Amino acid sequence: MNRQAHFRPLTPIMHPWVADITAHADLLRQAIDEYGSPVNIHCLQPFNENLTAFGAVFHEKQLDYRIYFARKANKCLSFAVRSHGLFQGIDTASYRELHQCLIAGIPAEALLCTAAVKTPDLLELAIARGVEVVIDNEDECRLMQAIATRMGRRVTVNIRVGGFTFEGKSLHTRFGWDIREAAVFVTNSIGKGNRFDRLDYSGLHFHLNGYSIAQRGEAILQCLALADRLRGEGFHTATLDIGGGILVNYLQYRDEWDAFNRTLKDAVEGKVPPLTYLNHPLGMTVLDGKALGEPQVYPYYSRVYKEHFLRRILEHRGSSGSTVAEEIRKRKIAMRMEPGRSALDQCGITVARVAFRKTDNRGNLLVGLEMNGTQLRSSSADFLLDPLHIPSAPVAGSTPPEFGFLVGAYCLEQELILKRCVRFLTYPQVGDLMVFVNTAGYLMHFYESEAHQFELAANTFLVSDGKRIIGDSKLANSLRINAATDILGVATQMGIYR
Ligand SMILES: *Cc1c(COP(=O)(O)O)cnc(C)c1O
């Protein structure tokens, strides 16, 4: 089947370190030889840049702030340690996430606990060390009250709220208190003289699903109204945490994204050859030959992303006519955010080795990778960026590209690394490398499993002017030692890495 005419490229944005390292195939091959396939290679430089860019927006709006990097988006400890090195915080969501950060020497005041389920051991650790906790429900409050009483300690809490009114409807969430009920709960239950008298209220928190700027703007304004009401009752709101969900832009060209989406629909309706394996609709519903709905995929192309997205939230205007930033400034509330994916934009790549080539019974070229599907998976129906094909030997002359599919090591029919058809530079050879760029945020870690007793992929970092690759724990350790011996903290650490 001639796919070439209908293939739609999706060209990824690549940070200079990614362009550099993928031009040095020897370094990638060394990493695979040392750590196995696939290997995740990270770099701290973009992380520095992302946090700095968020900070600059708060600074520009004259707002106090602290950024709490959401650890759950990536397992590497080095990012957490670096966040602290940049004078920012870390949002932890489990006992081990919190414990590892404390062991790494990150002080409690830089940590936040937002776990969706808070076990007694997690709360004991947080309360013993004095880590602020974002609370979700009354049972948590009871447990915290009991633990804090037993330990003779107090605990500072932020109240998670949701159910904001937007365009006349309340936004659904399973988390936290309804914004309309939070004031009564806080005033009647928390602090001295109330049943949860070991808990000290200090702020509000939300994290919204989806990527709407206006919803976040309205949510902030409704939190400020709640803070005003609480102040009237003697509860001071020191901080407002807007969670994560800041959009990332992965793709260079809007035209490619639009063309892919149009052509995918045509393909699923049978008007052009398939763009995906067995014409997978990526979450659209197919009814009577019509593709209905939208693909259930991350919006890989966005015009407003990262720091621009944050700026637009702060510039959102409410019905009073003033901006969100002005309203926050007036009340002298310190802003917090918990970026996961966006803090990790451009921070990691995943490299895998080609194990075999074959043709399936419909004539599709299948390229088997030493890798499994959970090692490149998010909640999106597919990861829609072109992988880079790095041949193991120079490609002779002008061989035509080949089109096919990447399959993985789990013994399932649906075990494809990418559902989308891939363009190879030339007919792939055993030992060639495939590089997936920009995978540090959720793609390489969130759903990774150890089925078939496969080991988890190794996590490494590029250091020393791009010439050396070392393991995450080794780097985290050295960052820690540097931080302890270096009064300026950040300056020396930044110097070592690209
Ligand atoms: C997942 C999550 C985040 C991070 O979200 P991103 O989309 O990765 O930025 C932050 N805060 C909370 C409470 C979360 O659940």
Side-chain angles (χ1 to χ4, degrees):
M1 188 182 294
N2 175 20
R3 293 179 188 283
Q4 193 165 355
H6 296 282
F7 178 79
R8 291 290 176 268
L10 291 171
T11 311
I13 296 171
M14 291 200 282
H15 192 279
W17 82 269
V18 179
D20 280 0
I21 196 172
T22 51
H24 289 90
D26 47 335
L27 199 56
L28 298 181
R29 254 181 271 287
Q30 266 174 34
I32 289 261
D33 289 345
E34 185 171 351
Y35 296 99
S37 174
V39 59
N40 297 318
I41 305 174
H42 301 84
C43 180
L44 286 172
Q45 181 65 35
F47 187 76
N48 301 337
E49 292 165 4
N50 294 335
L51 294 201
T52 304
F54 285 135
V57 173
F58 286 118
H59 193 73
E60 167 193 319
K61 300 296 176 194
Q62 298 164 32
L63 296 171
D64 282 340
Y65 72 95
R66 192 161 198 181
I67 301 162
Y68 291 81
F69 164 58
R71 263 210 82 178
K72 70 158 188 250
N74 186 286
K75 289 173 187 156
C76 294
L77 186 58
S78 298
F79 291 115
V81 176
R82 170 49 59 86
S83 186
H84 173 238
L86 294 167
F87 307 108
Q88 304 305 321
I90 300 94
D91 160 24
T92 63
S94 72
Y95 178 87
R96 284 177 66 179
E97 282 190 6
L98 177 60
H99 189 244
Q100 283 171 3
C101 286
L102 289 165
I103 295 284
I106 299 171
E109 59 84 26
L111 298 168
L112 202 55
C113 169
T114 63
V117 172
K118 300 182 184 73
T119 52
D121 61 343
L122 169 62
L123 288 174
E124 274 166 24
L125 182 64
I127 293 170
R129 297 297 197 95
V131 173
E132 268 183 55
V133 180
V134 174
I135 53 174
D136 172 78
N137 60 68
E138 275 192 50
D139 280 340
E140 265 173 13
C141 296
R142 279 186 202 99
L143 185 55
M144 291 172 80
Q145 172 75 13
I147 293 170
T149 304
R150 174 157 51 75
M151 289 181 164
R153 298 190 65 102
R154 308 192 59 74
V155 47
T156 301
V157 297
N158 297 292
I159 310 287
R160 182 157 180 172
V161 288
F164 303 103
T165 304
F166 187 73
E167 294 176 344
K169 285 200 210 89
S170 133
L171 299 173
H172 174 262
T173 176
R174 76 176 178 97
F175 293 108
W177 277 265
D178 191 287
I179 182 88
R180 291 160 297 191
E181 291 162 8
V184 170
F185 171 74
V186 172
T187 48
N188 289 348
S189 308
I190 295 202
K192 303 228 162 73
N194 281 329
R195 64 192 160 127
F196 302 132
D197 61 1
R198 292 274 164 175
L199 277 52
D200 293 317
Y201 168 80
S202 94
L204 299 170
H205 170 284
F206 67 80
H207 171 73
L208 298 184
N209 229 1
Y211 304 100
S212 161
I213 290 169
Q215 282 181 6
R216 284 174 173 76
E218 288 300 311
I220 292 173
L221 294 173
Q222 289 166 42
C223 284
L224 295 177
L226 171 58
D228 290 347
R229 191 171 157 197
L230 287 170
R231 193 180 46 199
E233 305 280 348
F235 290 87
H236 172 63
T237 301
T239 60
L240 172 55
D241 187 336
I242 61 172
I246 306 286
L247 269 181
V248 167
N249 178 30
Y250 288 87
L251 295 175
Q252 281 198 29
Y253 308 111
R254 182 186 189 146
D255 287 355
E256 288 186 353
W257 179 240
D258 291 344
F260 172 80
N261 279 286
R262 268 197 317 271
T263 313
L264 177 69
K265 210 167 179 138
D266 286 346
V268 167
E269 294 181 351
K271 296 173 186 160
V272 298
L275 295 188
T276 52
Y277 194 61
L278 304 182
N279 217 0
H280 196 292
L282 302 187
M284 289 186 288
T285 305
V286 188
L287 198 70
D288 298 333
K290 280 270 166 221
L292 306 177
E294 297 298 319
Q296 299 299 302
V297 296
Y298 187 83
Y300 288 97
Y301 180 87
S302 289
R303 223 165 28 82
V304 181
Y305 55 89
K306 278 203 299 197
E307 68 269 26
H308 315 296
F309 187 96
L310 174 64
R311 186 181 290 106
R312 290 274 292 273
I313 295 171
L314 296 174
E315 289 175 351
H316 177 83
R317 274 177 204 281
S319 52
S320 73
S322 49
T323 66
V324 160
E326 286 160 357
E327 293 294 331
I328 301 164
R329 219 154 48 218
K330 242 195 292 190
R331 292 168 176 82
K332 298 191 166 59
I333 292 177
M335 291 303 287
R336 291 177 170 182
M337 71 189 299
E338 299 162 351
R341 184 190 291 267
S342 56
L344 294 165
D345 181 32
Q346 296 294 338
C347 291
I349 63 174
T350 301
V351 186
R353 186 160 48 197
V354 171
F356 66 77
R357 298 81 36 93
K358 67 180 284 189
T359 307
D360 75 3
N361 67 344
R362 302 236 172 124
N364 295 301
L365 169 65
L366 302 184
V367 175
L369 296 183
E370 294 175 13
M371 175 176 180
N372 69 69
T374 70
Q375 292 170 322
L376 187 76
R377 175 148 312 156
S378 69
S379 55
S380 173
D382 205 15
F383 182 51
L384 297 174
L385 274 62
D386 290 342
L388 311 182
H389 174 201
I390 302 190
S392 45
V395 179
S398 59
T399 55
E402 287 283 341
F403 296 86
F405 298 91
L406 296 173
V407 297
Y410 285 0
C411 53
L412 302 165
E413 285 289 1
Q414 64 271 34
E415 169 73 354
L416 275 91
I417 304 294
L418 298 174
K419 296 185 179 74
R420 185 170 159 250
C421 177
V422 168
R423 177 172 54 187
F424 302 98
L425 273 183
T426 180
Y427 192 81
Q429 302 297 315
V430 171
D432 286 2
L433 301 180
M434 295 299 301
V435 180
F436 305 94
V437 306
N438 213 351
T439 56
Y442 295 106
L443 273 304
M444 58 172 68
H445 285 163
F446 203 76
Y447 289 106
E448 188 185 15
S449 71
E450 294 177 276
H452 299 265
Q453 300 300 321
F454 285 122
E455 283 187 68
L456 300 176
N459 291 306
T460 68
F461 279 80
L462 180 71
V463 295
S464 307
D465 276 336
K467 293 194 189 69
R468 215 154 54 87
I469 289 172
I470 65 172
D472 171 50
S473 44
K474 194 163 170 184
L475 175 61
N477 227 1
S478 84
L479 289 176
R480 224 178 112 189
I481 291 159
N482 285 335
T485 53
D486 173 16
I487 297 164
L488 291 174
V490 182
T492 310
Q493 290 174 31
M494 299 260 272
I496 318 175
Y497 304 102
R498 296 162 56 71

